[in-house]
Amino acid sequence: SFDNQGTLNKTGSEEYRISINGFDNSGLVDVQEGTLEIWSAGTFDGDFQIAAGAELELTGFNKTFTAASSVGGLGDVQVLGGTHTFDTDLDLGDFDSQGGTSYINQNLTIDGGLTVAGGTVRLAQSFTEAGATTVNGSLILGADNTWNERVGLTGSLQVEEGQTLRLNNGLDWDAGYVTGAGRLENAGTTHIGDVGLAVLNIAEFENSGLLDF
């Protein structure tokens, strides 16, 4: 196993992989350039800093970022597989799910966009976005959210019971599902069904904007 209690710096444009039977971080992992891939199970009490243009890849196995940890910077976190639990705030350039399952239990703040191209992401808190959100995989909302940027959907968007998703700029709903025991409010222009089947199966729906079929 690899137990980092000091500082691990990733420099240079190359991609490096940590593939070992257990990787724990109670120190600092500083991804300054290129891509650092963690292909190991682990528990992280320390800090991850990802610079603009750099990327932290999480692939395979189960990882837990505890409340004592921090994950931040203007770079990108990309999830390719495995199950990852984030019990700390995430403040990033981008968050990109390509596979696996991500449980984001604290605040998510993104300077760019949220991409759920594959896999499942569950947000337990409100999400603050500065760029477009794209959902081709599965996104589950466990808190009230108001989104001001446009959303692209061909996957599955679920609003849990007691929660409301308000779309101030609408939805490009080319295909996919909007489901859940919660409430969806469309206050913008939502365009539905250019590519495939679009299914609305939600407890409450309010339209104060424009629905364009």
Side-chain angles (χ1 to χ4, degrees):
S1 65
F2 180 179
D3 184 7
N4 179 54
Q5 299 180 18
T7 299
L8 190 159
N9 286 338
K10 165 64 179 74
T11 60
S13 60
E14 302 88 351
E15 177 174 342
Y16 284 91
R17 172 186 287 183
I18 296 174
S19 180
I20 196 167
N21 185 22
F23 172 65
D24 295 332
N25 176 50
S26 57
L28 170 64
V29 174
D30 190 359
V31 187
Q32 299 175 9
E33 298 176 281
T35 299
L36 178 65
E37 179 182 0
I38 301 178
W39 185 288
S40 302
T43 300
F44 308 131
D45 298 316
D47 302 325
F48 288 81
Q49 186 69 26
I50 307 130
E55 185 172 273
L56 176 68
E57 285 188 359
L58 305 175
T59 308
F61 303 99
N62 298 340
K63 303 173 186 64
T64 298
F65 295 78
T66 72
S69 69
S70 69
V71 183
L74 295 176
D76 183 13
V77 168
Q78 185 174 75
V79 177
L80 299 178
T83 298
H84 311 289
T85 302
F86 299 90
D87 289 327
T88 187
D89 292 345
L90 303 180
D91 190 349
L92 300 163
D94 294 281
F95 187 94
D96 182 1
S97 170
Q98 297 287 332
T101 302
S102 298
Y103 297 102
I104 301 177
N105 294 327
Q106 299 300 323
N107 296 316
L108 173 63
T109 302
I110 297 181
D111 289 336
L114 172 64
T115 300
V116 186
T120 298
V121 176
R122 183 183 184 274
L123 302 178
Q125 304 292 335
S126 297
F127 157 53
T128 303
E129 96 286 19
T133 296
T134 302
V135 182
N136 301 322
S138 175
L139 178 61
I140 302 169
L141 302 179
D144 291 338
N145 276 267
T146 298
W147 293 350
N148 296 312
E149 300 294 330
R150 199 149 181 81
V151 181
L153 175 65
T154 60
S156 173
L157 179 60
Q158 178 183 343
V159 184
E160 292 184 343
E161 184 175 4
Q163 313 307 323
T164 296
L165 172 60
R166 180 177 177 84
L167 301 173
N168 284 334
N169 202 18
L171 180 67
D172 288 318
W173 190 357
D174 291 331
Y177 299 82
V178 177
T179 67
R183 176 181 174 88
L184 176 67
E185 298 177 357
N186 176 58
T189 298
T190 288
H191 181 73
I192 301 175
D194 267 353
V195 175
L197 181 66
V199 176
L200 178 65
N201 184 17
I202 196 165
E204 297 181 57
F205 177 65
E206 176 187 289
N207 178 47
S208 59
L210 171 66
L211 288 178
D212 179 19
F213 293 88

